[in-house]
Short mmCIF file of all heavy atoms in Angstrom, two decimals:
data_model
loop_
_atom_site.label_atom_id
_atom_site.label_comp_id
_atom_site.label_asym_id
_atom_site.label_seq_id
_atom_site.Cartn_x
_atom_site.Cartn_y
_atom_site.Cartn_z
N PHE A 113 -3.09 -9.48 -10.17
CA PHE A 113 -2.29 -10.36 -9.34
C PHE A 113 -1.17 -9.50 -8.62
O PHE A 113 -0.50 -8.73 -9.20
CB PHE A 113 -1.49 -11.34 -10.30
CG PHE A 113 -2.30 -12.54 -10.67
CD1 PHE A 113 -3.48 -12.44 -11.45
CD2 PHE A 113 -1.85 -13.86 -10.37
CE1 PHE A 113 -4.23 -13.53 -11.81
CE2 PHE A 113 -2.57 -14.94 -10.73
CZ PHE A 113 -3.78 -14.79 -11.47
N VAL A 197 -6.00 -25.94 -5.26
CA VAL A 197 -5.35 -26.06 -6.55
C VAL A 197 -4.13 -26.82 -6.28
O VAL A 197 -3.55 -26.89 -5.14
CB VAL A 197 -5.06 -24.72 -7.16
CG1 VAL A 197 -6.33 -24.05 -7.62
CG2 VAL A 197 -4.15 -23.86 -6.30
N THR A 198 -3.58 -27.51 -7.39
CA THR A 198 -2.29 -28.23 -7.22
C THR A 198 -1.33 -27.73 -8.28
O THR A 198 -1.69 -27.17 -9.36
CB THR A 198 -2.50 -29.72 -7.37
OG1 THR A 198 -3.04 -30.01 -8.65
CG2 THR A 198 -3.39 -30.17 -6.23
N LEU A 199 -0.10 -28.03 -8.01
CA LEU A 199 0.97 -27.58 -8.82
C LEU A 199 2.18 -28.58 -8.61
O LEU A 199 2.45 -28.96 -7.57
CB LEU A 199 1.43 -26.21 -8.26
CG LEU A 199 2.64 -25.49 -8.81
CD1 LEU A 199 2.23 -24.92 -10.21
CD2 LEU A 199 2.98 -24.33 -7.92
N ASP A 200 2.84 -28.94 -9.72
CA ASP A 200 3.96 -29.77 -9.62
C ASP A 200 5.26 -29.05 -9.28
O ASP A 200 5.62 -28.12 -9.97
CB ASP A 200 4.21 -30.63 -10.92
CG ASP A 200 3.18 -31.69 -11.02
OD1 ASP A 200 2.65 -32.20 -10.00
OD2 ASP A 200 2.83 -32.07 -12.21
N GLU A 253 6.43 -18.00 -6.17
CA GLU A 253 5.95 -17.32 -7.35
C GLU A 253 5.31 -18.20 -8.47
O GLU A 253 4.43 -17.82 -9.18
CB GLU A 253 7.20 -16.53 -7.90
CG GLU A 253 7.47 -15.43 -6.93
CD GLU A 253 8.69 -14.53 -7.23
OE1 GLU A 253 9.45 -14.86 -8.21
OE2 GLU A 253 8.87 -13.54 -6.48
N MET A 254 5.74 -19.50 -8.49
CA MET A 254 5.02 -20.51 -9.32
C MET A 254 3.57 -20.63 -8.80
O MET A 254 2.60 -20.74 -9.58
CB MET A 254 5.70 -21.81 -9.30
CG MET A 254 7.06 -21.73 -10.14
SD MET A 254 7.97 -23.30 -10.06
CE MET A 254 6.97 -24.32 -11.15
N LEU A 255 3.45 -20.70 -7.52
CA LEU A 255 2.13 -20.93 -6.88
C LEU A 255 1.27 -19.70 -7.25
O LEU A 255 0.10 -19.84 -7.71
CB LEU A 255 2.20 -21.08 -5.41
CG LEU A 255 0.81 -21.27 -4.72
CD1 LEU A 255 0.10 -22.43 -5.22
CD2 LEU A 255 1.06 -21.37 -3.21
N LEU A 256 1.73 -18.50 -7.18
CA LEU A 256 0.96 -17.31 -7.40
C LEU A 256 0.56 -17.35 -8.99
O LEU A 256 -0.61 -17.16 -9.30
CB LEU A 256 1.74 -16.02 -7.07
CG LEU A 256 0.88 -14.80 -7.34
CD1 LEU A 256 -0.36 -14.71 -6.56
CD2 LEU A 256 1.77 -13.51 -7.08
N GLY A 257 1.64 -17.39 -9.78
CA GLY A 257 1.35 -17.27 -11.20
C GLY A 257 0.58 -18.43 -11.81
O GLY A 257 -0.51 -18.34 -12.39
N ILE A 258 1.10 -19.69 -11.61
CA ILE A 258 0.44 -20.79 -12.22
C ILE A 258 -0.75 -21.26 -11.42
O ILE A 258 -1.81 -21.45 -11.94
CB ILE A 258 1.56 -21.97 -12.43
CG1 ILE A 258 2.71 -21.47 -13.20
CG2 ILE A 258 0.89 -23.21 -12.91
CD1 ILE A 258 3.88 -22.38 -13.25
N GLY A 259 -0.55 -21.43 -10.09
CA GLY A 259 -1.70 -21.72 -9.22
C GLY A 259 -2.74 -20.75 -9.34
O GLY A 259 -3.95 -21.08 -9.22
N GLY A 260 -2.43 -19.48 -9.42
CA GLY A 260 -3.41 -18.38 -9.44
C GLY A 260 -4.32 -18.48 -10.66
O GLY A 260 -5.50 -18.33 -10.55
N VAL A 261 -3.71 -18.80 -11.85
CA VAL A 261 -4.59 -19.02 -13.05
C VAL A 261 -5.47 -20.20 -12.89
O VAL A 261 -6.65 -20.18 -13.16
CB VAL A 261 -3.58 -19.21 -14.27
CG1 VAL A 261 -4.46 -19.55 -15.51
CG2 VAL A 261 -2.72 -17.96 -14.59
N ARG A 262 -4.91 -21.30 -12.32
CA ARG A 262 -5.72 -22.51 -12.13
C ARG A 262 -6.90 -22.30 -11.21
O ARG A 262 -8.04 -22.69 -11.35
CB ARG A 262 -4.88 -23.60 -11.65
CG ARG A 262 -3.88 -24.10 -12.69
CD ARG A 262 -3.05 -25.24 -12.22
NE ARG A 262 -2.02 -25.46 -13.37
CZ ARG A 262 -0.98 -26.24 -13.24
NH1 ARG A 262 -0.71 -26.88 -12.09
NH2 ARG A 262 -0.21 -26.40 -14.21
N ALA A 263 -6.60 -21.42 -10.12
CA ALA A 263 -7.68 -21.13 -9.16
C ALA A 263 -8.73 -20.29 -9.84
O ALA A 263 -9.95 -20.65 -9.64
CB ALA A 263 -7.09 -20.26 -8.05
N LEU A 264 -8.36 -19.34 -10.62
CA LEU A 264 -9.48 -18.57 -11.31
C LEU A 264 -10.26 -19.48 -12.31
O LEU A 264 -11.48 -19.30 -12.34
CB LEU A 264 -8.88 -17.34 -12.08
CG LEU A 264 -8.33 -16.24 -11.11
CD1 LEU A 264 -7.75 -15.08 -11.97
CD2 LEU A 264 -9.41 -15.72 -10.26
N ARG A 265 -9.57 -20.28 -12.98
CA ARG A 265 -10.33 -21.24 -13.82
C ARG A 265 -11.31 -22.10 -13.06
O ARG A 265 -12.41 -22.34 -13.42
CB ARG A 265 -9.39 -22.17 -14.58
CG ARG A 265 -8.44 -21.46 -15.53
CD ARG A 265 -9.05 -20.80 -16.61
NE ARG A 265 -8.11 -20.29 -17.58
CZ ARG A 265 -8.20 -19.12 -18.21
NH1 ARG A 265 -9.32 -18.45 -18.05
NH2 ARG A 265 -7.30 -18.76 -19.08
N MET A 266 -10.85 -22.55 -11.94
CA MET A 266 -11.71 -23.41 -11.03
C MET A 266 -12.88 -22.65 -10.50
O MET A 266 -13.96 -23.26 -10.41
CB MET A 266 -10.87 -23.94 -9.88
CG MET A 266 -11.35 -25.17 -9.28
SD MET A 266 -10.30 -25.60 -7.91
CE MET A 266 -9.25 -26.82 -8.53
N TRP A 274 -5.47 -9.54 -17.76
CA TRP A 274 -4.65 -10.11 -16.62
C TRP A 274 -3.69 -9.03 -16.31
O TRP A 274 -2.79 -8.70 -17.13
CB TRP A 274 -4.04 -11.35 -17.05
CG TRP A 274 -4.96 -12.47 -17.47
CD1 TRP A 274 -5.61 -12.55 -18.68
CD2 TRP A 274 -5.31 -13.65 -16.72
NE1 TRP A 274 -6.41 -13.73 -18.69
CE2 TRP A 274 -6.24 -14.42 -17.49
CE3 TRP A 274 -5.00 -14.10 -15.45
CZ2 TRP A 274 -6.74 -15.59 -17.08
CZ3 TRP A 274 -5.56 -15.32 -15.05
CH2 TRP A 274 -6.44 -16.05 -15.82
N MET A 276 -0.44 -7.91 -14.04
CA MET A 276 0.54 -8.31 -13.15
C MET A 276 1.06 -7.05 -12.46
O MET A 276 1.71 -6.24 -13.07
CB MET A 276 1.67 -9.01 -13.89
CG MET A 276 1.37 -10.22 -14.64
SD MET A 276 2.66 -10.76 -15.70
CE MET A 276 2.02 -10.26 -17.23
N SER A 281 4.39 -12.11 -10.32
CA SER A 281 3.29 -13.02 -10.81
C SER A 281 3.49 -13.46 -12.28
O SER A 281 2.58 -14.00 -12.92
CB SER A 281 1.93 -12.47 -10.63
OG SER A 281 1.88 -11.11 -11.15
N ALA A 282 4.74 -13.14 -12.90
CA ALA A 282 4.91 -13.33 -14.29
C ALA A 282 4.75 -14.76 -14.81
O ALA A 282 4.42 -14.94 -15.99
CB ALA A 282 6.31 -12.83 -14.66
N PHE A 283 4.86 -15.77 -13.82
CA PHE A 283 4.72 -17.11 -14.39
C PHE A 283 3.32 -17.32 -14.79
O PHE A 283 3.04 -18.33 -15.42
CB PHE A 283 5.04 -18.03 -13.24
CG PHE A 283 6.55 -18.16 -12.88
CD1 PHE A 283 6.98 -18.25 -11.56
CD2 PHE A 283 7.50 -18.25 -13.88
CE1 PHE A 283 8.36 -18.33 -11.24
CE2 PHE A 283 8.92 -18.28 -13.63
CZ PHE A 283 9.29 -18.40 -12.28
N LEU A 284 2.40 -16.48 -14.55
CA LEU A 284 0.98 -16.62 -15.04
C LEU A 284 0.94 -16.74 -16.56
O LEU A 284 0.25 -17.50 -17.14
CB LEU A 284 0.06 -15.56 -14.54
CG LEU A 284 0.05 -14.18 -15.00
CD1 LEU A 284 -0.73 -13.96 -16.29
CD2 LEU A 284 -0.64 -13.25 -13.93
N GLY A 285 1.94 -16.04 -17.20
CA GLY A 285 2.00 -16.12 -18.68
C GLY A 285 2.33 -17.49 -19.16
O GLY A 285 1.83 -17.96 -20.20
N LEU A 286 3.16 -18.25 -18.40
CA LEU A 286 3.48 -19.54 -18.86
C LEU A 286 2.29 -20.51 -18.69
O LEU A 286 2.06 -21.35 -19.59
CB LEU A 286 4.68 -20.10 -17.91
CG LEU A 286 5.96 -19.38 -17.99
CD1 LEU A 286 6.98 -19.93 -17.01
CD2 LEU A 286 6.50 -19.34 -19.43
N GLU A 287 1.52 -20.33 -17.71
CA GLU A 287 0.29 -21.18 -17.58
C GLU A 287 -0.69 -20.83 -18.65
O GLU A 287 -1.29 -21.77 -19.21
CB GLU A 287 -0.34 -20.98 -16.16
CG GLU A 287 -1.59 -21.75 -15.88
CD GLU A 287 -1.47 -23.22 -15.90
OE1 GLU A 287 -0.32 -23.77 -16.05
OE2 GLU A 287 -2.45 -23.86 -15.82
N GLN A 288 -0.85 -19.55 -18.96
CA GLN A 288 -1.70 -19.21 -20.02
C GLN A 288 -1.27 -19.84 -21.34
O GLN A 288 -2.00 -20.33 -22.17
CB GLN A 288 -1.75 -17.62 -20.25
CG GLN A 288 -2.36 -16.90 -19.08
CD GLN A 288 -2.12 -15.46 -19.19
OE1 GLN A 288 -0.98 -14.98 -19.60
NE2 GLN A 288 -3.15 -14.59 -18.94
N ALA A 289 0.08 -19.82 -21.63
CA ALA A 289 0.60 -20.42 -22.81
C ALA A 289 0.38 -21.88 -22.82
O ALA A 289 0.05 -22.51 -23.84
CB ALA A 289 2.10 -20.10 -22.88
N ARG A 290 0.59 -22.52 -21.64
CA ARG A 290 0.42 -23.95 -21.52
C ARG A 290 -1.06 -24.34 -21.96
O ARG A 290 -1.25 -25.25 -22.74
CB ARG A 290 0.68 -24.49 -20.22
CG ARG A 290 0.91 -25.99 -20.06
CD ARG A 290 0.98 -26.41 -18.60
NE ARG A 290 -0.24 -26.05 -17.87
CZ ARG A 290 -1.39 -26.85 -17.83
NH1 ARG A 290 -1.31 -28.02 -18.49
NH2 ARG A 290 -2.45 -26.46 -17.17
N GLU A 291 -2.03 -23.58 -21.47
CA GLU A 291 -3.45 -23.87 -21.72
C GLU A 291 -3.61 -23.76 -23.26
O GLU A 291 -4.31 -24.69 -23.80
CB GLU A 291 -4.25 -22.78 -21.06
CG GLU A 291 -4.45 -22.84 -19.59
CD GLU A 291 -5.35 -21.71 -19.01
OE1 GLU A 291 -5.51 -20.70 -19.67
OE2 GLU A 291 -5.77 -21.90 -17.85
N LEU A 292 -3.13 -22.76 -23.86
CA LEU A 292 -3.36 -22.56 -25.36
C LEU A 292 -2.64 -23.68 -26.16
O LEU A 292 -3.16 -24.21 -27.11
CB LEU A 292 -3.01 -21.17 -25.72
CG LEU A 292 -3.87 -20.05 -25.20
CD1 LEU A 292 -3.26 -18.69 -25.46
CD2 LEU A 292 -5.28 -20.10 -25.86
N VAL A 293 -1.42 -23.99 -25.83
CA VAL A 293 -0.69 -24.92 -26.51
C VAL A 293 -1.34 -26.35 -26.33
O VAL A 293 -1.60 -27.02 -27.44
CB VAL A 293 0.73 -25.04 -26.05
CG1 VAL A 293 1.50 -26.23 -26.70
CG2 VAL A 293 1.48 -23.75 -26.50
N GLN A 294 -1.82 -26.60 -25.13
CA GLN A 294 -2.54 -27.84 -24.93
C GLN A 294 -3.85 -27.91 -25.74
O GLN A 294 -4.28 -29.01 -26.07
CB GLN A 294 -2.82 -28.12 -23.46
CG GLN A 294 -1.57 -28.25 -22.53
CD GLN A 294 -0.77 -29.49 -22.91
OE1 GLN A 294 -1.23 -30.57 -22.87
NE2 GLN A 294 0.50 -29.30 -23.34
N ALA A 295 -4.34 -26.75 -25.96
CA ALA A 295 -5.60 -26.71 -26.80
C ALA A 295 -5.36 -26.75 -28.29
O ALA A 295 -6.22 -26.57 -29.12
CB ALA A 295 -6.42 -25.46 -26.42
N LEU A 299 2.97 -22.20 -30.07
CA LEU A 299 3.35 -21.26 -29.02
C LEU A 299 3.34 -19.81 -29.50
O LEU A 299 2.97 -18.93 -28.85
CB LEU A 299 4.74 -21.60 -28.45
CG LEU A 299 5.34 -20.87 -27.41
CD1 LEU A 299 4.37 -20.92 -26.12
CD2 LEU A 299 6.68 -21.20 -26.97
N ALA A 302 -0.02 -18.64 -29.44
CA ALA A 302 -0.46 -18.45 -28.05
C ALA A 302 0.08 -17.14 -27.39
O ALA A 302 -0.62 -16.40 -26.71
CB ALA A 302 0.03 -19.59 -27.22
N VAL A 303 1.41 -16.90 -27.67
CA VAL A 303 1.98 -15.70 -27.06
C VAL A 303 1.28 -14.48 -27.67
O VAL A 303 1.07 -13.48 -26.83
CB VAL A 303 3.53 -15.67 -27.34
CG1 VAL A 303 4.11 -14.30 -26.90
CG2 VAL A 303 4.22 -16.86 -26.59
N ILE A 306 -1.90 -14.07 -25.80
CA ILE A 306 -1.68 -13.69 -24.39
C ILE A 306 -1.32 -12.25 -24.27
O ILE A 306 -1.77 -11.49 -23.35
CB ILE A 306 -0.56 -14.64 -23.77
CG1 ILE A 306 -1.05 -16.01 -23.74
CG2 ILE A 306 -0.14 -14.08 -22.49
CD1 ILE A 306 0.07 -17.00 -23.47
N GLN A 309 -3.91 -9.66 -23.99
CA GLN A 309 -4.79 -9.55 -22.80
C GLN A 309 -4.01 -9.27 -21.45
O GLN A 309 -4.53 -9.05 -20.42
CB GLN A 309 -5.67 -10.89 -22.60
CG GLN A 309 -4.76 -12.07 -22.41
CD GLN A 309 -5.53 -13.34 -22.50
OE1 GLN A 309 -6.65 -13.42 -23.12
NE2 GLN A 309 -5.15 -14.42 -21.87
N ASN A 310 -2.68 -9.29 -21.67
CA ASN A 310 -1.95 -9.10 -20.36
C ASN A 310 -1.35 -7.66 -20.22
O ASN A 310 -0.98 -7.01 -21.15
CB ASN A 310 -0.77 -10.08 -20.32
CG ASN A 310 -1.20 -11.40 -19.99
OD1 ASN A 310 -2.31 -11.72 -19.87
ND2 ASN A 310 -0.21 -12.32 -19.79
N PHE A 334 11.38 -26.29 -13.78
CA PHE A 334 10.52 -26.26 -14.94
C PHE A 334 10.76 -27.37 -15.96
O PHE A 334 10.20 -27.36 -17.06
CB PHE A 334 10.54 -24.85 -15.63
CG PHE A 334 9.74 -23.84 -14.96
CD1 PHE A 334 10.38 -23.05 -14.03
CD2 PHE A 334 8.43 -23.63 -15.22
CE1 PHE A 334 9.64 -22.01 -13.33
CE2 PHE A 334 7.69 -22.71 -14.55
CZ PHE A 334 8.26 -21.88 -13.64
N GLY A 336 9.79 -30.21 -16.13
CA GLY A 336 8.53 -30.93 -16.45
C GLY A 336 7.62 -30.03 -17.24
O GLY A 336 6.62 -30.53 -17.83
N PHE A 337 7.88 -28.79 -17.25
CA PHE A 337 6.86 -27.82 -17.73
C PHE A 337 7.14 -27.45 -19.29
O PHE A 337 6.20 -27.36 -20.04
CB PHE A 337 6.98 -26.57 -16.92
CG PHE A 337 5.75 -25.65 -17.01
CD1 PHE A 337 4.66 -25.70 -16.13
CD2 PHE A 337 5.61 -24.76 -18.08
CE1 PHE A 337 3.57 -24.84 -16.23
CE2 PHE A 337 4.56 -23.90 -18.25
CZ PHE A 337 3.49 -24.00 -17.30
N TRP A 338 8.47 -27.32 -19.58
CA TRP A 338 8.71 -26.78 -20.98
C TRP A 338 8.16 -27.68 -22.11
O TRP A 338 7.72 -27.14 -23.09
CB TRP A 338 10.09 -26.34 -21.12
CG TRP A 338 11.22 -27.33 -20.88
CD1 TRP A 338 11.40 -28.55 -21.55
CD2 TRP A 338 12.24 -27.14 -19.93
NE1 TRP A 338 12.54 -29.13 -21.05
CE2 TRP A 338 13.10 -28.33 -20.06
CE3 TRP A 338 12.60 -26.11 -19.06
CZ2 TRP A 338 14.26 -28.50 -19.28
CZ3 TRP A 338 13.81 -26.28 -18.31
CH2 TRP A 338 14.52 -27.57 -18.43
N GLU A 340 5.47 -29.21 -22.12
CA GLU A 340 4.03 -28.86 -22.39
C GLU A 340 3.79 -27.67 -23.17
O GLU A 340 2.76 -27.36 -23.68
CB GLU A 340 3.36 -28.65 -20.96
CG GLU A 340 3.28 -30.04 -20.20
CD GLU A 340 2.33 -29.99 -19.13
OE1 GLU A 340 1.09 -29.73 -19.35
OE2 GLU A 340 2.70 -30.22 -17.95
N LEU A 341 4.89 -26.85 -23.29
CA LEU A 341 4.80 -25.71 -24.24
C LEU A 341 5.42 -26.03 -25.63
O LEU A 341 5.53 -25.20 -26.49
CB LEU A 341 5.56 -24.47 -23.69
CG LEU A 341 5.27 -23.96 -22.25
CD1 LEU A 341 6.17 -22.87 -21.91
CD2 LEU A 341 3.72 -23.42 -22.38
N PHE A 348 13.04 -22.77 -23.75
CA PHE A 348 12.36 -22.18 -22.54
C PHE A 348 13.07 -21.07 -21.98
O PHE A 348 12.52 -20.01 -21.63
CB PHE A 348 12.16 -23.38 -21.59
CG PHE A 348 11.34 -22.96 -20.37
CD1 PHE A 348 10.01 -22.82 -20.44
CD2 PHE A 348 12.01 -22.59 -19.17
CE1 PHE A 348 9.20 -22.36 -19.30
CE2 PHE A 348 11.29 -22.23 -18.04
CZ PHE A 348 9.89 -22.10 -18.09
N LEU A 351 12.76 -17.68 -23.33
CA LEU A 351 11.63 -16.84 -23.07
C LEU A 351 11.85 -15.69 -22.17
O LEU A 351 11.27 -14.57 -22.37
CB LEU A 351 10.46 -17.64 -22.45
CG LEU A 351 9.89 -18.78 -23.26
CD1 LEU A 351 8.90 -19.58 -22.41
CD2 LEU A 351 9.21 -18.26 -24.52
N LEU A 368 10.14 -11.83 -18.55
CA LEU A 368 9.05 -12.65 -18.95
C LEU A 368 7.71 -11.91 -19.09
O LEU A 368 6.85 -12.01 -19.99
CB LEU A 368 8.89 -13.80 -17.91
CG LEU A 368 7.88 -14.88 -18.19
CD1 LEU A 368 8.22 -15.71 -19.43
CD2 LEU A 368 7.72 -15.86 -16.95
N PHE A 372 5.46 -11.18 -22.33
CA PHE A 372 4.08 -11.82 -22.33
C PHE A 372 2.95 -10.72 -22.07
O PHE A 372 1.91 -11.10 -21.66
CB PHE A 372 3.98 -12.96 -21.33
CG PHE A 372 4.52 -14.21 -21.81
CD1 PHE A 372 5.94 -14.33 -22.19
CD2 PHE A 372 3.69 -15.38 -22.00
CE1 PHE A 372 6.46 -15.51 -22.64
CE2 PHE A 372 4.23 -16.54 -22.41
CZ PHE A 372 5.51 -16.65 -22.82
#
Side-chain angles (χ1 to χ4, degrees):
F113 281 60
V197 290
T198 59
L199 174 76
D200 285 334
E253 291 177 355
M254 287 174 74
L255 179 58
L256 179 62
I258 300 171
V261 174
R262 291 179 186 169
L264 288 180
R265 298 296 186 214
M266 205 181 256
W274 301 74
M276 295 170 260
S281 51
F283 289 138
L284 73 81
L286 298 178
E287 176 65 5
Q288 294 168 318
R290 196 190 61 86
E291 290 178 341
L292 290 167
V293 169
Q294 295 298 303
L299 183 60
V303 172
I306 291 165
Q309 61 190 26
N310 284 5
F334 282 95
F337 197 96
W338 54 59
E340 295 196 54
L341 300 178
F348 184 79
L351 294 177
L368 185 66
F372 279 62

